[in-house]
Amino acid sequence: MRARALGRRVGRLPTGPGNALTDVTGVLVGHTTLRDDSVGLYSGVTAVVPTALDDRPTLAAGLHVANGYGKFVGATQLAELGELETPVLLTSTLSAFRAADALVSWTLARAVPPPVSLNPVVGEINDGWLSGRWPRPVTEDHVLHALGTASDAPVPLGSVGGGTGACALGFKGGIGSASRVVGPVAGRDATVGVLVQANMGGELRLGDRTVTPEGLGLTRAGSRVETGSCVVVVALDIACPAHQLTRVAARGALALGRVGASYSHGSGDYGLAFSAVPSDAPRLLPPAELDAVFSAVREAVEEAVLDALLTAGSVHTPDGRTAHGLPAHAVVDTAGPS
């Protein structure tokens, strides 16, 4: 159950119709979930697919690295050129490279003529605390399934796709998503959507309270030596230049601090933002409009993390490890705008 169904509203801005990344027109999301409790397999891949890349080689994008202990494939060219050339995949650490290879194959098969150079973009989390027996389970077929089934339907949340093996803030983590509508931006209402692969350390903050598993009578999930990671993907349905999208991406990563992320040494924390609207000469957003987008990102990331924890459920591994989902009563007890 999502936070809003429990009476907890995060922030004051209105949401899009699905309160998810797919509220941004032209953005699709697909998952392949790998879960087998009998053998302790918890992994998968999530695909974020901008449909505008079907008709043009790149979209404007920005990247922010809050902590670079990660294997973010394609990061340097993305940051240097401010261009997104492929869908974005989210998976587990040692599956990132196989996923990147599969993404190259998928892109080359669809491009006419095929490019001579390509920068696949793949983010990852370390899900080894739950799925350590399976360090790189994702295959090319799993990646192709996530890409091929990506849709604009409401985004499945929790222990799905690249969030299947995630732990965050001491609870079972996973995929979260939310959206906000702000305006006027570029003369109309704009939709800002986020998707979060939540796997970071820290302690959950709800309003003015800190909520811990121990305080709820539960055991803490995740490694005592924090080696998590979190990837935040932000999409806008307005044209925006790359350097401003880099600033938007930074707000995505920094918003994790609102829910208690620790940004520890061993956690790769990344924000990626892109415009789903193609433009060869995007208009520079003036400060007031940019501030509105920043506020939307902040609210949406906070709610997305909370929903990831609420919808993840609990996992009990064959070797005796337990990751508890965030109980609904912990949110109900602290309900109210944050």
Side-chain angles (χ1 to χ4, degrees):
M1 183 175 291
R2 301 184 71 172
R4 286 179 178 253
L6 297 171
R8 184 173 187 86
R9 176 175 176 173
V10 177
R12 292 171 172 77
L13 294 171
T15 74
N19 195 19
L21 182 70
T22 49
D23 289 337
V24 177
T25 301
V27 178
L28 314 179
V29 174
H31 298 299
T32 298
T33 300
L34 306 178
R35 177 168 178 170
D36 187 337
D37 293 291
S38 67
V39 298
L41 171 59
Y42 308 96
S43 193
V45 59
T46 294
V48 176
V49 183
T51 59
L53 289 176
D54 290 340
D55 301 316
R56 61 182 291 123
T58 65
L59 291 172
L63 177 71
H64 178 81
V65 182
N67 193 58
Y69 201 120
K71 288 77 185 165
F72 201 108
V73 180
T76 56
Q77 184 172 313
L78 177 63
E80 183 75 10
L81 301 183
E83 295 176 344
L84 181 67
E85 298 182 14
T86 70
V88 179
L89 300 181
L90 305 175
T91 187
S92 56
T93 297
L94 293 183
S95 291
F97 315 105
R98 186 174 288 155
D101 185 71
L103 181 54
V104 170
S105 297
W106 181 85
T107 305
L108 292 179
R110 294 162 56 89
V112 180
V116 296
S117 176
L118 187 68
N119 188 52
V121 175
V122 182
E124 52 80 26
I125 60 163
N126 186 333
D127 58 16
W129 191 79
L130 282 177
S131 201
R133 298 182 181 186
W134 302 87
R136 54 186 317 219
V138 173
T139 68
E140 179 173 313
D141 286 344
H142 296 142
V143 174
L144 297 181
H145 179 267
L147 289 164
T149 58
S151 75
D152 61 0
V155 178
L157 305 179
S159 294
V160 294
T164 306
C167 297
L169 306 173
F171 297 95
K172 179 67 185 70
I175 298 295
S177 194
S179 68
R180 293 293 187 270
V181 177
V182 294
V185 176
R188 62 175 178 82
D189 286 344
T191 301
V192 179
V194 308
L195 185 142
V196 176
Q197 186 187 25
N199 190 61
M200 64 286 194
E203 294 188 335
L204 175 64
R205 286 204 285 263
L206 291 176
D208 60 358
R209 292 187 57 209
T210 297
V211 178
T212 66
E214 296 86 351
L216 299 172
L218 305 172
T219 56
R220 177 172 288 268
S223 173
R224 298 300 176 184
V225 179
E226 292 184 354
T227 55
S229 291
C230 188
V231 181
V232 178
V233 179
V234 183
L236 280 64
D237 70 349
I238 53 171
C240 187
H243 76 278
Q244 288 192 322
L245 287 167
T246 299
R247 300 183 68 198
V248 172
R251 271 62 183 183
L254 296 174
L256 298 172
R258 291 175 59 87
V259 288
S262 59
Y263 303 103
S264 63
H265 163 72
S267 183
D269 303 305
Y270 298 87
L272 185 157
F274 68 91
S275 171
V277 178
S279 176
D280 293 324
R283 164 184 172 270
L284 191 70
L285 298 184
E289 294 182 6
L290 195 58
D291 282 343
V293 172
F294 289 166
S295 295
V297 172
R298 183 179 67 247
E299 288 189 13
V301 169
E302 184 176 356
E303 184 166 358
V305 171
L306 185 55
D307 281 346
L309 304 185
L310 283 168
T311 58
S314 297
V315 169
H316 309 280
T317 70
D319 59 0
R321 296 185 176 189
T322 298
H324 294 281
L326 177 65
H329 68 80
V331 174
V332 173
D333 291 346
T334 59
S338 64

